[in-house]
Amino acid sequence: MVEDRGEGELLEQPDVADIELVKVLHALGDPTRLHLLGVYANGGRYDCSSERLGVAHLHKSTVSHHMRIMRQAGITSTRVVGRNRYVRLRRADLDARFPGLVDTLVRAMGTGDGPAAGN
């Protein structure tokens, strides 16, 4: 996890009103992306290190593909700072569109250390 200072360019992502449940659920239907949701659920900002994300067995281009799918579905946002990319869960946006969805998914996975972990 990396400290978020808000610098850098935010990559294109859907507006909150344009996030569709079908696209979110389709994106999270992949086990790797569901795993990444669990990683991102604590609210931090992460670089694209496959080791730190727990997907070291995947090729870098495959990890990038999963991150792009999640961003295009509106699940995450990606900020480019120099040559680095930092990803974070769009938790507030998802909670506004689909209340309880993220907590339910994280609780079902048995991961996370946010509100879902204690409930």
Side-chain angles (χ1 to χ4, degrees):
M1 187 167 41
V2 196
E3 183 181 336
D4 188 0
R5 295 186 196 111
E7 76 264 1
E9 172 192 0
L10 193 62
L11 294 182
E12 187 176 337
Q13 62 188 24
D15 291 331
V16 177
D18 295 330
I19 299 174
E20 298 177 28
L21 183 60
V22 170
K23 290 181 181 179
V24 170
L25 294 177
H26 184 266
L28 295 176
D30 180 276
T32 297
R33 293 190 288 268
L34 192 58
H35 165 78
L36 290 172
L37 174 73
V39 171
Y40 298 143
N42 75 9
R45 181 175 90 156
Y46 291 84
D47 61 19
C48 297
S49 167
S50 57
E51 292 82 22
R52 284 189 283 278
L53 294 172
V55 291
H57 62 285
L58 298 175
H59 191 275
K60 185 177 180 178
S61 64
T62 303
V63 175
S64 295
H65 168 76
H66 286 303
M67 291 178 166
R68 180 177 50 83
I69 296 296
M70 293 179 76
R71 179 177 47 82
Q72 290 176 337
I75 299 167
T76 60
S77 63
T78 303
R79 191 169 293 282
V80 179
V81 180
R83 295 182 62 190
N84 299 310
R85 293 174 186 250
Y86 298 100
V87 178
R88 83 169 339 153
L89 182 65
R90 292 179 65 183
R91 180 78 179 234
D93 295 342
L94 291 168
D95 286 345
R97 281 294 276 146
F98 316 111
L101 177 65
V102 174
D103 285 340
T104 299
L105 292 171
V106 171
R107 191 171 25 255
M109 289 187 302
T111 61
D113 42 10
N119 295 343

